Amino acid sequence: MTDILNPTLITIVSVGFIIGILGNTFMALVNIMDWVKRRKISSVDLILTALSVSRIAFLCLFMSSLLLSLLYPGLITREKIVRMLSMFFLVTHHFSIWLATCLSIFYFFKIANFSNSLFLYLKWRVEKVVSVTLLMSLLLLFINIVIIYTQMDAWVHGFKANISYSLLSSNFVKFSNSLLFTNTMFTFIPFTMSLMTFLLLIFSLLKHLKNMHCKSKGSRDVSTAAHIKALQTVVAFLLLYTLFSLALLLQSQSTYLQMRNPSSLFWGVMGIAFPSGHSCVLIVGNSKLRRASLWCLRCRMKEATLLSS
């Protein structure tokens, strides 16, 4: 059973990796080409471009770590490799989560409608709100790096003190569990912020529907559609990121040294679904990206038709 399940899960992870790379590369290229053509870029396109780049780096790191774990399980425990992978994982994962959170915040302030004076003040300064959020995230990133490197130094000390393979494996298990748990706890903050924007968007939508009973159907439909589209994007992010966090926490029970285990590969499938699946949701939810993808699809279909005729 394992001989069949392992190749299947590895194939699914590979397909998810390809979809993620293609989707995020597509988003980045469309926005960069539009930037060059118009010589300006909107805030949302800038966030999407930075998000795409961070996720391309994260996916490449994720796949490299998986291949190292499968092909060279002893290499993954070396100090230099651990430090390098931990740092790259920390930075790419951090920006992947926080940029998606900034996107949720941006959609919230652009679409939601409240009469509160503080909300109106922030709504007119949404770009500054996003900038301050990113600056705050850099402070959290610095604190996270300090904690991770403190844990890493303790692991290296234990690594050099122990000689037997069983003790080395046990030490690495504790370190990898601590690393994954710490990263997950630090990303709980952006997850909470996205959840708050989701709840406030629902409240804004309900309030909008209540106020629109006496108004024209057309204006109601436009605003309602905007609310629903934003809600779909935030919900997709929350659901996929929940699966991703669960995958990291549950994967810590197996460690990198047991990546040949089907259960560990299954959590790897769940983990790669977040950066890959969310990019597809963003493409469908963005009118410019959706039009570009449909145009590319039509061109491919025409080429296929010409080749077959």
Side-chain angles (χ1 to χ4, degrees), residues 20 63 273 276 284-285 298:
M63 204 63 180
S276 300
V284 173
R298 284 196 296 266

Side-chain angles (χ1 to χ4, degrees), residues 247-280:
L248 288 181
L249 290 174
L250 293 173
Q251 188 176 340
S252 67
Q253 303 302 315
S254 57
T255 82
Y256 294 113
L257 296 176
Q258 298 171 333
M259 282 301 290
R260 294 177 185 274
N261 191 304
S263 62
S264 187
L265 286 172
F266 177 73
W267 303 131
V269 171
M270 290 179 60
I272 207 167
F274 168 60
S276 300
H278 192 229
S279 63
C280 297

Side-chain angles (χ1 to χ4, degrees), residues 79-121:
E79 179 185 348
K80 291 183 179 180
I81 299 297
V82 170
R83 287 186 181 275
M84 182 181 66
L85 291 179
S86 298
M87 174 56 68
F88 281 121
F89 175 82
L90 183 61
V91 173
T92 56
H93 178 241
H94 175 89
F95 283 108
S96 175
I97 297 300
W98 274 100
L99 287 168
T101 301
C102 289
L103 194 63
S104 301
I105 294 173
F106 188 88
Y107 284 147
F108 166 69
F109 280 109
K110 284 294 184 180
I111 295 172
N113 188 18
F114 296 100
S115 58
N116 183 275
S117 57
L118 177 61
F119 173 81
L120 294 175
Y121 176 83

Side-chain angles (χ1 to χ4, degrees), residues 19 71 76 83 85 87 97 142 193 206 301:
I19 291 174
L71 301 176
I76 202 71
R83 287 186 181 275
L85 291 179
M87 174 56 68
I97 297 300
F142 175 75
M193 294 173 67
L206 294 175
M301 292 178 64

Side-chain angles (χ1 to χ4, degrees), residues 216-229:
S216 64
K217 182 178 180 181
S219 61
R220 180 186 62 196
D221 287 344
V222 171
S223 184
T224 301
H227 274 82
I228 293 175
K229 185 178 293 185

Side-chain angles (χ1 to χ4, degrees), residues 22-42:
L22 291 177
N24 285 288
T25 302
F26 174 79
M27 282 198 297
L29 286 177
V30 170
N31 287 322
I32 291 173
M33 290 172 64
D34 188 64
W35 187 1
V36 172
K37 180 180 179 181
R38 299 176 182 271
R39 296 185 178 179
K40 63 179 181 178
I41 186 170
S42 64

